[in-house]
Amino acid sequence: MENVHLVPEDEDLYSGYNDYNPTFDSEELENDVGFQQAVRTSHGRRPPMTAKFPGTAIGARPLATSFGPRIPMTSSMGRPVTGAVQDGAARPMTAVRAAGYTSSLTRGSTFDPLGQSRGPAPALESKNEDTPEEKIKILEKKVNDLIEESCMAQSMGALQLALEKAKEAGRKERALVRQREQSGNGDHINLDLTYSVLLNLANQYENNEMYPEALNSYQVIVKNKMFSNAGRLKVNMANIYFKQKNYPKAIKFYRMALDQISNAHKEMRIKIMQNIGVIFVRMGQYSDAITSFGHIMSESPNVKTGFNLILCYYAIGDREMMKKSFQNLISVPLGVDDEDKYIPSNDDTNSNMVIEAIKNDKLHQMERDLKSLAEKFIMTAAKLIAPSIEASFAAGFDWCVDMVKSSQYVELANDLEINKAITYLRQKDFNQVEAVETLKTFEKKDSRVKSAAATNLSFLYFLEKDYDQADRYSDLAMNADRYNPAALINKGNTVFIRHDYEKAAEFYKEALRNDSSCTEALYNLGLSYKKLNRLDEALDCFLKLHAILRNSAQVMYQLAQVYELLEDPHQAIEWLMQVISVIPTDPKVLAKLGDLHDGEGDKSQAFQCYYESFRYFPSNIDVIEWLGAYYIETQFCEKAIQYFERATLIQPTQVKWQLMVASCYRRSGNYQKALDTYKDIHRKFPENVECLRFLVRLCTDMGLKEVQEYATRLKKVEKMKEIREQRVKSGREGSARSRREGREGSAGSADSSHSSNSTKGERLSAKMRSLPASNEPYEASNQKELDASYMDPLGPQMERPKTGAKRRVEEDDFADEELGDDLLPE
């Protein structure tokens, strides 16, 4: 309670609220004489003040106002007023008057410090483009724009448009120079712009293969002394001479450029020297090329130059230098980081994220490409020099393998061993046993090498028609690497040979799932569907394959055959025409095309195809027979004689061809020649009834005395034929009786009796039924339909061994249903 304060009754609770500082009385400023006088002065000076009150500008003079006498005002910040004296020293007065206030400020005027009441600023004066300097600047901009448009057109492949823009830029640049000279500014010519125009024009000429014009443009730049470093463009001129195969001039300009490039530009000098070495190789001057390549290998070694050096030493036959160059090749540093750095660790999450980001970036792809290129060069060099550096190919290859094992390419040694076995197979006098033994040494290696070796062994045994061993090694390859498409193809081939086409198709599908670009699997799958009479699916397979292998004659022929089976001869003819465009000298394809035209009733086209087939292969009996029949049908029997005579030479024991020759003579009216031919046939085939009948007829028509003799012989031969037919008939009846009597016996003995007592004619008929139809263009046994697949250790860049398919193509005997590794591009 002692803290409670009670207000007295006579105290005014609202007192003091109306009291305020007169300094803030802005309503009475108009009546304030001192303030108005300060405003009207030129520098805003106030009336004189006394030093007694330094804190105010109006001194101690009281001002009479309606509120009573004024209280002297002090500065709000305690700062002395301008002009006041402090501590006996006067402060300098401000020399700038207040913003927005003038001496003529009157009542009612607005505060306008920016002068906006005076209206908008006047418009800028337009630039006069008629002056010579402005015209020159505009023209320079147009020239630069044309150069840029020319470069952009070249980048988009519009070479003609790029050349036109470059020419127009050249014309405008010359007009610019003339304009400068006319205006008296000839000394201020823009040399950089002139250089850009000429260089771009020369490049566009070169891109459009207008080499003389490009050389002229380069010469203008090179000969002008005002262009610094223009000597480098002699490299471009040397490149043009190289394209024109003018090798001496190319070397001359490369050397001139080399002289004008300082040693500081080491990389450019190395590239020029490499070009010089390549030109020397083209000219056959291997010693000079060795000098260039050797200098590069001593200064800045790289795998491409090292490989070129090996080729040069191989060309001159220097065995020791081949070995030394091979050692230098495998010791070239690639500058590629170890692959282990791309393997993620289990501890550091941030590090794993970085590794995942760089695992397949551009740098890693470049490293892989460089390593793959180096391995390709080493493999090729080993295969090249192996037969030359030692007494035998095997010893030379073993030396190369030993060198590789002691180098940074130690993983390549196993691949070289496998390649050694494959190279054995590619040699004309190959030792297949050696190849098999070499591959068998890898059966206990790691899974990748083991799978590759087993795949190749399966391929070899398949070629030898040892299908059991091929199946065994294909299983071994699949167990080592289930995702090996070549092993799956070989397994499918061994199943295909046993006529289990459904199962073979499953293996081919699995191979395609592992490698969608495997052309052998897709081709074999199409064949399996064709065997299963699933023609639409087979057609889809071959159409997909044709999209991948545009110029494969095998694929196009299979498409033609499928369309023929689908009874669409027009499409079959179209595809066969495409086959002819790829291999125009294949007689079997031409014969098949002729057969299809003949079936459509187009005899003229059929004759053209059959005639071309006979011209490339004049030993096809079916083609000869068709041509002979065509000439007989068209009443040109004399022309048919040469074809039947050709058939007589091919099948001298077939009497029908000789009878056709004689018949052609008889139809053409040359009876004497026909008589002589029939007599010659009778001497060779005295029991031929048809020949004797024509002899009797010709002798009768010609009134010759030999008619009676030939008639007697004819009767005798006919009688002998009747006796022979009776014997055959009685033999058939006897065999039928014996079959009836033995029906109560076992089924096996009945079958045996039937087989032993069948006639020769029946056996021949059965054999003919088992043979392919005569209208088939190609006759291939089932064992030759499939070619085994094999696996290259370094992928598809290696040339694969050619199997039966390639051999048959070379012999113009293009197989009906062929699978082959030769479908792969080399």
Side-chain angles (χ1 to χ4, degrees):
M1 292 294 293
E2 59 185 7
N3 296 325
V4 178
H5 175 69
L6 299 176
V7 179
E9 294 180 359
D10 56 348
E11 185 176 354
D12 187 2
L13 295 177
Y14 302 100
S15 62
Y17 284 100
N18 292 327
D19 297 337
Y20 60 93
N21 194 334
T23 306
F24 304 107
D25 186 8
S26 59
E27 295 179 356
E28 297 295 329
L29 287 178
E30 293 181 1
N31 301 323
D32 191 340
V33 178
F35 180 77
Q36 293 297 332
Q37 185 180 358
V39 169
R40 292 190 181 94
T41 58
S42 61
H43 293 287
R45 287 197 299 269
R46 295 174 183 249
M49 58 184 177
T50 62
K52 186 178 179 179
F53 300 98
T56 64
I58 55 175
R61 183 174 59 86
L63 297 177
T65 63
S66 60
F67 294 94
R70 298 259 182 191
I71 298 174
M73 294 184 296
T74 61
S75 174
S76 61
M77 302 295 294
R79 185 176 61 84
V81 182
T82 303
V85 179
Q86 278 189 338
D87 299 332
R91 182 178 178 275
M93 296 178 65
T94 303
V96 181
R97 60 188 175 183
Y101 291 97
T102 62
S103 57
S104 61
L105 184 65
T106 59
R107 182 180 178 87
S109 62
T110 59
F111 181 72
D112 187 16
L114 299 179
Q116 296 178 358
S117 61
R118 290 177 294 183
L124 296 174
E125 294 182 5
S126 60
K127 187 179 293 185
N128 188 5
E129 296 182 358
D130 295 334
T131 62
E133 192 61 32
E134 287 300 323
K135 289 181 179 179
I136 289 172
K137 288 183 179 179
I138 293 172
L139 200 53
E140 277 188 355
K141 186 177 185 305
K142 287 183 179 179
V143 173
N144 282 312
D145 291 342
L146 285 170
I147 294 174
E148 185 176 352
E149 290 173 7
S150 175
C151 295
M152 292 299 294
Q154 177 195 348
S155 66
M156 293 186 293
L159 301 180
Q160 189 64 36
L161 177 62
L163 179 59
E164 292 175 0
K165 294 288 185 181
K167 288 180 178 179
E168 188 177 352
R171 289 192 293 268
K172 289 195 177 295
E173 194 274 335
R174 289 191 293 273
L176 174 64
V177 171
R178 287 194 299 269
Q179 201 164 355
R180 280 190 181 275
E181 292 175 349
Q182 291 172 2
S183 62
N185 295 327
D187 296 337
H188 298 84
I189 294 175
N190 191 344
L191 290 178
D192 292 338
L193 184 62
T194 306
Y195 182 85
S196 301
V197 169
L198 291 173
L199 180 59
N200 181 56
L201 182 61
N203 284 331
Q204 302 310 330
Y205 276 133
E206 184 178 354
N207 292 333
N208 285 271
E209 299 182 359
M210 300 171 67
Y211 298 131
E213 292 83 353
L215 288 172
N216 292 335
S217 299
Y218 282 127
Q219 283 285 3
V220 172
I221 302 175
V222 170
K223 289 184 177 181
N224 195 331
K225 301 299 183 183
M226 292 186 294
F227 297 140
S228 59
N229 298 323
R232 294 186 179 186
L233 295 181
K234 291 180 180 178
V235 176
N236 296 21
M237 300 175 71
N239 291 340
I240 293 176
Y241 284 123
F242 179 80
K243 292 176 183 177
Q244 292 178 331
K245 297 184 179 181
N246 190 349
Y247 299 133
K249 273 201 169 183
I251 291 178
K252 175 184 175 182
F253 276 85
Y254 277 134
R255 285 178 170 169
M256 291 169 65
L258 201 62
D259 293 338
Q260 297 184 7
I261 295 175
S262 65
N263 293 327
H265 301 88
K266 183 178 178 180
E267 187 176 353
M268 181 176 287
R269 291 178 62 87
I270 290 296
K271 289 181 178 180
I272 293 174
M273 292 190 69
Q274 191 165 351
N275 288 0
I276 293 173
V278 171
I279 293 177
F280 278 131
V281 171
R282 292 288 184 93
M283 297 172 66
Q285 300 179 16
Y286 300 111
S287 299
D288 296 328
I290 288 171
T291 304
S292 297
F293 292 141
H295 178 75
I296 296 172
M297 290 299 290
S298 62
E299 294 290 331
S300 178
N302 59 82
V303 290
K304 185 179 291 186
T305 304
F307 180 71
N308 288 339
L309 190 59
I310 291 176
L311 292 180
C312 292
Y313 281 123
Y314 177 80
I316 64 176
D318 193 335
R319 179 180 300 182
E320 292 302 322
M321 291 307 298
M322 276 190 276
K323 287 185 176 182
K324 185 177 179 181
S325 300
F326 186 79
Q327 291 173 337
N328 292 336
L329 176 63
I330 61 179
S331 62
V332 171
L334 295 180
V336 176
D337 293 334
D338 192 7
E339 289 288 332
D340 294 339
K341 81 169 188 178
Y342 297 105
I343 300 175
S345 59
N346 297 325
D347 302 331
D348 192 353
T349 305
N350 294 331
S351 176
N352 291 344
M353 293 176 63
V354 173
I355 291 172
E356 191 66 27
I358 67 173
K359 185 180 292 184
N360 200 34
D361 62 352
K362 295 290 185 181
L363 178 61
H364 194 200
Q365 291 176 10
M366 185 185 71
E367 291 176 349
R368 284 200 302 261
D369 293 341
L370 182 59
K371 190 174 181 180
S372 175
L373 181 66
E375 291 176 349
K376 179 183 177 182
F377 282 143
I378 292 171
M379 295 284 287
T380 308
K383 290 186 292 182
L384 179 68
I385 68 175
S388 303
I389 58 177
E390 297 292 345
S392 65
F393 166 78
F397 218 104
D398 290 339
W399 181 88
C400 294
V401 171
D402 293 338
M403 291 296 104
V404 170
K405 285 181 179 178
S406 60
S407 71
Q408 58 182 327
Y409 303 99
V410 62
E411 297 177 355
L412 201 60
N414 290 332
D415 297 332
L416 275 172
E417 290 279 4
I418 294 176
N419 195 268
K420 173 185 173 183
I422 295 174
T423 309
Y424 272 127
L425 302 177
R426 292 178 180 169
Q427 292 178 338
K428 293 181 180 179
D429 52 344
F430 66 91
N431 186 354
Q432 189 162 319
V433 177
E434 181 70 24
V436 172
E437 292 301 323
T438 304
L439 291 172
K440 283 184 178 179
T441 59
F442 293 96
E443 290 188 22
K444 296 183 180 179
K445 296 283 185 179
D446 61 86
S447 60
R448 184 185 67 85
V449 178
K450 181 179 180 181
S451 178
T455 301
N456 290 326
L457 283 169
S458 175
F459 165 74
L460 289 176
Y461 283 120
F462 192 90
L463 293 182
E464 291 180 343
K465 299 180 182 179
D466 189 351
Y467 301 121
D468 294 332
Q469 287 285 2
D471 186 56
R472 173 176 169 267
Y473 278 101
S474 63
D475 288 335
L476 186 64
M478 288 169 56
N479 293 333
D481 184 5
R482 182 67 187 183
Y483 300 100
N484 182 356
L488 291 166
I489 291 171
N490 286 349
K491 180 64 178 177
N493 289 353
T494 57
V495 175
F496 189 99
I497 288 296
R498 297 186 178 94
H499 309 292
D500 191 352
Y501 305 119
E502 281 288 355
K503 192 173 181 181
E506 291 301 321
F507 282 111
Y508 298 142
K509 288 178 184 177
E510 187 175 354
L512 285 171
R513 284 194 292 270
N514 295 335
D515 183 6
S516 59
S517 63
C518 186
T519 53
E520 297 99 328
L522 190 57
Y523 187 91
N524 293 1
L525 182 62
L527 288 182
S528 301
Y529 284 143
K530 194 169 74 168
K531 288 288 186 181
L532 293 168
N533 203 30
R534 292 156 64 175
L535 300 179
D536 291 332
E537 294 174 81
L539 187 63
D540 290 338
C541 291
F542 290 126
L543 287 173
K544 289 178 183 177
L545 196 56
H546 177 67
I548 301 171
L549 305 174
R550 284 290 181 184
N551 295 324
S552 174
Q554 286 177 288
V555 176
M556 289 186 283
Y557 181 78
Q558 291 297 335
L559 284 167
Q561 201 172 51
V562 171
Y563 275 117
E564 185 182 5
L565 294 173
L566 289 170
E567 298 180 357
D568 190 350
H570 296 290
Q571 283 289 341
I573 289 172
E574 289 295 325
W575 284 106
L576 284 178
M577 291 296 293
Q578 293 191 40
V579 176
I580 292 299
S581 67
V582 177
I583 45 171
T585 61
D586 192 297
K588 293 291 179 107
V589 176
L590 289 166
K592 181 61 183 175
L593 189 59
D595 180 61
L596 288 174
H597 280 301
D598 190 23
E600 291 296 302
D602 192 347
K603 290 289 184 180
S604 61
Q605 282 292 336
F607 170 74
Q608 186 66 29
C609 295
Y610 275 117
Y611 181 78
E612 289 294 314
S613 176
F614 175 79
R615 190 163 66 89
Y616 290 119
F617 185 62
S619 299
N620 190 329
I621 292 296
D622 294 333
V623 174
I624 291 171
E625 184 177 8
W626 192 93
L627 288 170
Y630 174 81
Y631 279 118
I632 291 175
E633 184 180 353
T634 55
Q635 305 298 322
F636 290 100
C637 300
E638 298 86 352
K639 291 187 176 181
I641 292 173
Q642 61 176 331
Y643 294 103
F644 292 126
E645 286 179 344
R646 169 78 62 174
T648 302
L649 295 175
I650 297 170
Q651 294 180 346
T653 59
Q654 293 289 333
V655 67
K656 66 176 182 178
W657 307 122
Q658 301 182 40
L659 289 173
M660 291 301 296
V661 172
S663 177
C664 289
Y665 281 125
R666 182 171 54 83
R667 289 169 182 264
S668 62
N670 194 345
Y671 297 111
Q672 185 59 46
K673 189 67 176 178
L675 180 63
D676 293 340
T677 305
Y678 281 124
K679 287 181 179 180
D680 187 56
I681 296 171
H682 179 64
R683 281 194 299 271
K684 295 178 181 178
F685 305 95
E687 295 183 358
N688 188 275
V689 176
E690 190 175 356
C691 178
L692 286 170
R693 287 175 181 170
F694 280 115
L695 280 172
V696 171
R697 184 174 176 179
L698 276 174
C699 290
T700 302
D701 293 341
M702 297 174 68
L704 300 178
K705 298 178 180 179
E706 295 97 333
V707 62
Q708 189 60 40
E709 179 184 354
Y710 290 123
T712 304
R713 292 180 184 179
L714 177 60
K715 289 180 181 180
K716 184 178 179 180
V717 170
E718 288 177 345
K719 189 174 182 181
M720 291 175 63
K721 185 178 180 181
E722 289 177 1
I723 294 172
R724 190 178 294 113
E725 289 177 353
Q726 288 178 359
R727 288 177 181 176
V728 170
K729 185 177 180 180
S730 61
R732 289 180 181 175
E733 291 175 353
S735 62
R737 251 193 328 269
S738 62
R739 284 197 300 272
R740 283 196 301 271
E741 291 173 356
R743 279 176 184 172
E744 296 177 357
S746 65
S749 60
D751 291 340
S752 176
S753 173
H754 178 273
S755 176
S756 61
N757 293 310
S758 62
T759 62
K760 181 179 179 182
E762 290 173 339
R763 288 198 300 271
L764 289 175
S765 299
K767 186 176 180 180
M768 292 298 291
R769 284 196 300 271
S770 66
L771 291 175
S774 60
N775 59 356
E776 289 288 339
Y778 307 135
E779 298 175 4
S781 63
N782 289 334
Q783 294 179 355
K784 292 183 180 179
E785 287 176 347
L786 292 162
D787 286 334
S789 182
Y790 75 105
M791 182 177 179
D792 279 338
L794 288 185
Q797 75 269 13
M798 302 295 299
E799 182 184 358
R800 298 175 179 264
K802 304 306 177 189
T803 58
K806 183 65 176 177
R807 176 185 60 77
R808 284 186 284 274
V809 171
E810 291 173 350
E811 294 173 356
D812 290 331
D813 189 13
F814 201 42
D816 174 21
E817 294 173 347
E818 295 223 339
L819 302 147
D821 298 309
D822 57 310
L823 288 173
L824 283 178
E826 296 181 4

